[in-house]
Amino acid sequence: MEKSVMLPLSLLRTAQGHPVLVELKNGDTYNGYLVSCDSWMNINLRRVIHTSKDGDQFWKIAECYVRGNTIKFLGISDEVINLVQKEEEQAQLQPEEEEEETEETEEETEEEEEAEEEEEVTEEAIEEEREEEEEEVRVL
């Protein structure tokens, strides 16, 4: 599999609703479903199993909040990582499509401007011809 750079917050936002493993700096681990995260990596988990750092004590918790600066490690499934990669690919494709649309719009605008200029030239030519005819009539 090709390695790519991912922003951790975009990865966390994509992981919402999916199971995650959170290891804290003190060694405790939390396994649960990610509910939300903020820009400081503070996260909310549901249906959590909290394991002590020794691994000998377990607690089942309905919901918990983990402060971002206490997090040492986040374990996220490959499924979520693949979702992030797909989202990034789509995001890269969208600007290319927008550029193509912009180029098409610019071409259409240029064509419209050229048509308007031709109309103006034609109108100016007609006016000049009328003026010349009026001058000829005046001279006669």
Side-chain angles (χ1 to χ4, degrees):
M1 186 165 93
E2 181 180 315
K3 290 186 177 182
S4 65
V5 176
M6 286 181 218
L7 297 174
L9 291 177
S10 65
L11 181 62
L12 281 175
R13 288 191 181 100
T14 303
Q16 289 181 2
H18 295 273
V20 295
L21 163 71
V22 180
E23 183 177 337
L24 303 184
K25 291 176 183 177
N26 68 5
D28 289 359
T29 60
Y30 292 82
N31 283 295
Y33 289 86
L34 182 64
V35 175
S36 64
C37 66
D38 63 16
S39 57
W40 292 279
M41 287 182 64
N42 300 322
I43 60 173
N44 289 308
L45 298 171
R46 268 201 189 123
R47 297 184 354 210
V48 181
I49 296 177
H50 172 203
T51 308
S52 67
K53 72 177 183 178
D54 301 328
D56 58 351
Q57 293 180 337
F58 299 90
W59 297 271
K60 191 172 184 179
I61 307 168
E63 289 188 15
C64 75
Y65 173 86
V66 180
R67 187 171 170 160
N69 70 348
T70 63
I71 297 173
K72 175 181 175 183
F73 173 82
L74 285 166
I76 297 174
S77 68
D78 289 338
E79 175 187 347
V80 174
I81 293 171
N82 292 337
L83 285 173
V84 173
Q85 289 174 340
K86 288 178 184 176
E87 287 176 3
E88 287 178 352
E89 288 172 4
Q90 289 176 350
Q92 290 174 353
L93 291 176
Q94 286 177 349
E96 290 175 5
E97 291 173 0
E98 289 174 5
E99 286 177 14
E100 290 174 3
E101 290 175 9
T102 304
E103 289 174 5
E104 290 174 3
T105 305
E106 288 176 358
E107 289 175 6
E108 290 172 1
T109 305
E110 288 175 7
E111 290 173 2
E112 290 172 3
E113 288 175 358
E114 289 174 5
E116 288 175 6
E117 288 176 8
E118 288 176 8
E119 287 177 15
E120 289 175 9
V121 169
T122 307
E123 289 175 9
E124 288 176 7
I126 292 171
E127 286 179 31
E128 287 177 10
E129 286 177 16
R130 285 184 187 162
E131 288 174 3
E132 289 175 6
E133 288 175 2
E134 288 177 4
E135 286 179 21
E136 287 177 10
V137 171
R138 288 181 194 156
V139 171
L140 294 176

